[in-house]
Amino acid sequence: MTVFYCSKCGNALTPDLTALPTVPAVPGLDDPRPKGARQAPPTVPRGCYAIEPEPWGVPFVPQEDQDNPVPSQPRGPLMATQDDGFVISAGTRNMIVLHPDDAAALQPLPRWENSTGCCGPNGTEGANRACPCGGRIATLAADCSGPYELHLDPLRTYAFALPDGEA
């Protein structure tokens, strides 16, 4: 069991969470959503977390192969800019991915900074959630065009894990 904390103030951000071996695939991202649903089902089940080994989030750099582009980040959509064409994440590796409800104390940034999206923040502009102390520590991806997941910055948070059997 692991609890994640804010590196700035030491506040616990999550309850005890169980590690998953990999980040699950986004369930039903391409399937029709139930009437009224604006988000994909959560990538990570409640009470769990996984580590994203690939770069995720800002900055984005031009893809080498503009004729055969790949999604801009794991479980994300294809992205292009006017200046660079198709782009790919060169962001942080080893982000902690969890169910958004497992870090309920996190707050949107003032004026919803970095929260652009159609039905929710798409997670492509950088940290958009803060600890109650004000530390910008997480990115919520909750738009209709991508996954529904929360990414904790591994440099702005830390984990404390109890050995097996000590809960």
Side-chain angles (χ1 to χ4, degrees), residues 4 13 18 33 36 44 61 87 105 111 123 127 129 146 152 155 160 167:
F4 291 91
L13 303 170
T18 301
R33 299 214 171 91
V44 177
V61 297
V87 295
R111 297 172 306 285
R129 294 295 180 268
L152 297 179
L155 301 176
F160 182 76

Side-chain angles (χ1 to χ4, degrees), residues 24-165:
V26 177
L29 188 58
D30 296 324
D31 298 337
R33 299 214 171 91
K35 186 174 182 174
R38 293 184 161 193
Q39 298 160 331
T43 305
V44 177
R46 293 237 19 212
C48 297
Y49 75 94
I51 304 298
E52 175 55 69
E54 297 299 319
W56 196 91
V58 295
F60 290 91
V61 297
Q63 291 194 25
E64 288 184 29
D65 188 350
Q66 291 288 311
D67 294 327
N68 297 298
V70 297
S72 295
Q73 56 193 13
R75 297 168 312 286
L78 206 57
M79 288 176 27
T81 67
Q82 239 179 351
D83 297 332
D84 297 325
F86 292 105
V87 295
I88 194 159
S89 175
T92 304
R93 290 179 181 269
N94 299 318
M95 290 283 234
I96 300 109
V97 184
L98 53 123
H99 190 292
D101 292 344
D102 280 333
L106 296 183
Q107 305 163 347
L109 299 183
R111 297 172 306 285
W112 293 89
E113 184 180 343
N114 296 343
S115 291
T116 302
C118 172
C119 299
N122 60 25
T124 61
E125 298 174 312
N128 58 22
R129 294 295 180 268
C131 175
C133 76
R136 296 173 180 221
I137 58 173
T139 304
L140 175 64
D143 194 26
C144 58
S145 65
Y148 180 50
E149 54 195 31
L150 182 74
H151 292 249
L152 297 179
D153 186 319
L155 301 176
R156 294 187 168 116
T157 60
Y158 65 94
F160 182 76
L162 291 174
D164 288 340

